[in-house]
Amino acid sequence: MPDMSNLKNYYIMIIRIGIKIVIALISFWGFNVVAQTQIVPSSSPHNCRIGLTLSGGAARGFAHIGVLRAFEEAGITIDFISGSSMGSLIGLFFAAGKTPDEMMEIAKTIKKNRLKAGLMKVRVRKSGLNYMENIIKQHISQIKFDELQKPLYVCVTNFESGKYEIIHTGEILSAIKASVAIPFVFNQQIINGMAYVDGGVLNNLPVEPLREHCEIVVGISVNQIESKNNKMKLRNKIMRVCELIINGNETARIAMCDYHLDIPGMGNIDFEAYEQVQEIHDLGYRAAKEFIAKYIVNP
């Protein structure tokens, strides 16, 4: 006859082991539920990290200031920002803490003849970036990325490797100058012995770095394609090619955004219309106000 005392102890041991296993599983499941809850985006954009990616577009980029104003008025906080070309420049001023009003004051001081490309005019190609650098130095005290108030990601094109790169550490000025260095318009920039040109050549809407940090990513494009007559001067044909190239590389990245705004009317604005600051700003502002009311505030 089996020892009842030993049998009883055996069952007690089995029950205790079972209880421990159940507790362990509950703890495991509970941990995973908490972890998932932490990374699932909130239903309200106001309660999660928002990233804004700003496309390049030369003078058309002033529309980004209007967009930032509309977001500010709606009480929507932008936590991370990325940009190519003019988008990186506007992104810098924003990340450094400049308000839309302050950015507009700076933009209105820009002299068109100092930035106008002139295409093959070597003197202009060099002095234009120097002029831009001086503007930045006059208004931005931060020298390195980690000194900015908000994280900024700048897209540049490595002319030697043929790949785009994202710069978000180290010195700001060299990254911005490389990002805005439109080929044939401004000189290529040398960083660590490598030649770099405008980030928009390969990635005009750099959404990739924001996807790593933000629950919601909003893309802003300022190069809406408009039908145009084929009878153009050489300069306009080159600008048209640039427009088509940057629109082409934006297409795949639009799908990576949670929201995307392609500002209407921008295709009729010349890339070098630096004197039309207010008009371009207003186009961005009005489009963003309608966009926010429709998709962001009441998604």
Side-chain angles (χ1 to χ4, degrees):
M1 185 175 179
D3 186 334
M4 297 302 293
S5 176
N6 289 338
L7 189 60
K8 181 180 179 181
N9 290 336
Y10 174 78
Y11 284 135
I12 291 173
M13 180 182 70
I14 293 298
I15 291 171
R16 287 176 176 172
I17 292 174
I19 291 173
K20 289 180 179 180
I21 291 173
V22 170
I23 291 174
L25 288 174
I26 290 174
S27 298
F28 176 76
W29 289 331
F31 173 80
N32 277 314
V33 169
V34 171
Q36 290 174 2
T37 301
Q38 290 174 342
I39 64 174
V40 171
S42 165
S43 59
S44 170
H46 298 275
N47 297 326
C48 59
R49 289 185 296 183
I50 299 177
L52 195 65
T53 180
L54 308 178
S55 77
R60 296 175 179 178
F62 290 142
H64 293 314
I65 304 175
V67 171
L68 290 168
R69 184 187 302 281
F71 272 77
E72 181 183 83
E73 290 179 356
I76 299 173
T77 299
I78 304 301
D79 302 292
F80 292 76
I81 195 158
S82 69
S84 274
S85 200
M86 181 61 92
S88 72
L89 182 61
I90 300 299
L92 167 62
F93 280 100
F94 176 75
K98 297 298 181 184
T99 66
D101 283 340
E102 290 173 327
M103 284 188 267
M104 283 297 287
E105 288 179 9
I106 296 169
K108 288 177 179 179
T109 66
I110 293 176
K111 299 185 183 302
K112 178 179 178 178
N113 64 335
R114 299 293 302 275
L115 280 179
K116 189 173 181 180
L119 293 180
M120 300 301 177
K121 295 180 180 178
V122 177
R123 180 182 60 80
V124 178
R125 286 166 56 189
K126 181 178 180 180
S127 63
L129 279 183
N130 291 339
Y131 175 61
M132 189 178 298
E133 179 179 351
N134 289 334
I135 292 174
I136 294 173
K137 287 180 176 179
Q138 287 174 22
H139 302 283
I140 303 293
S141 60
Q142 297 91 331
I143 298 174
K144 296 184 179 297
F145 279 87
D146 59 10
E147 297 174 355
L148 296 172
Q149 294 183 18
K150 294 180 183 290
L152 171 67
Y153 297 85
V154 174
C155 184
V156 297
T157 295
N158 187 316
F159 201 60
E160 298 181 32
S161 71
K163 298 178 180 180
Y164 79 83
E165 297 177 11
I166 302 295
I167 302 178
H168 63 98
T169 60
E171 294 185 358
I172 297 171
L173 260 178
S174 57
I176 297 295
K177 288 176 67 176
S179 187
V180 302
I182 305 171
F184 306 111
V185 173
F186 299 122
N187 289 343
Q188 63 185 21
Q189 299 298 296
I190 305 300
I191 302 176
N192 296 326
M194 302 287 283
Y196 288 87
V197 296
D198 195 306
V201 172
L202 294 179
N203 187 347
N204 201 49
L205 195 69
V207 63
E208 290 87 348
L210 301 185
R211 286 270 55 132
E212 300 178 22
H213 306 286
C214 305
E215 286 86 353
I216 288 182
V217 174
V218 182
I220 309 297
S221 297
V222 296
N223 297 291
Q224 193 175 68
I225 295 293
E226 303 283 351
S227 295
K228 293 184 179 180
N229 193 305
N230 182 49
K231 296 179 180 179
M232 306 178 189
K233 294 181 179 179
L234 176 61
R235 179 259 181 200
N236 293 332
K237 286 184 177 180
I238 293 175
M239 292 296 103
R240 180 64 166 176
V241 169
C242 292
E243 184 180 57
L244 296 176
I245 289 174
I246 60 181
N247 266 274
N249 73 49
E250 280 187 30
T251 302
R253 293 177 174 88
I254 290 173
M256 298 172 63
C257 298
D258 296 296
Y259 301 94
H260 177 256
L261 171 60
D262 194 2
I263 299 174
M266 299 305 295
N268 293 320
I269 301 292
D270 191 279
F271 281 108
E272 295 178 345
Y274 294 105
E275 76 285 359
Q276 295 177 242
V277 178
Q278 192 65 53
E279 177 187 347
I280 298 171
H281 163 280
D282 293 347
L283 285 172
Y285 177 74
R286 288 194 296 269
K289 290 286 282 188
E290 294 176 5
F291 173 79
I292 291 169
K294 184 175 181 180
Y295 296 107
I296 307 295
V297 176
N298 298 301

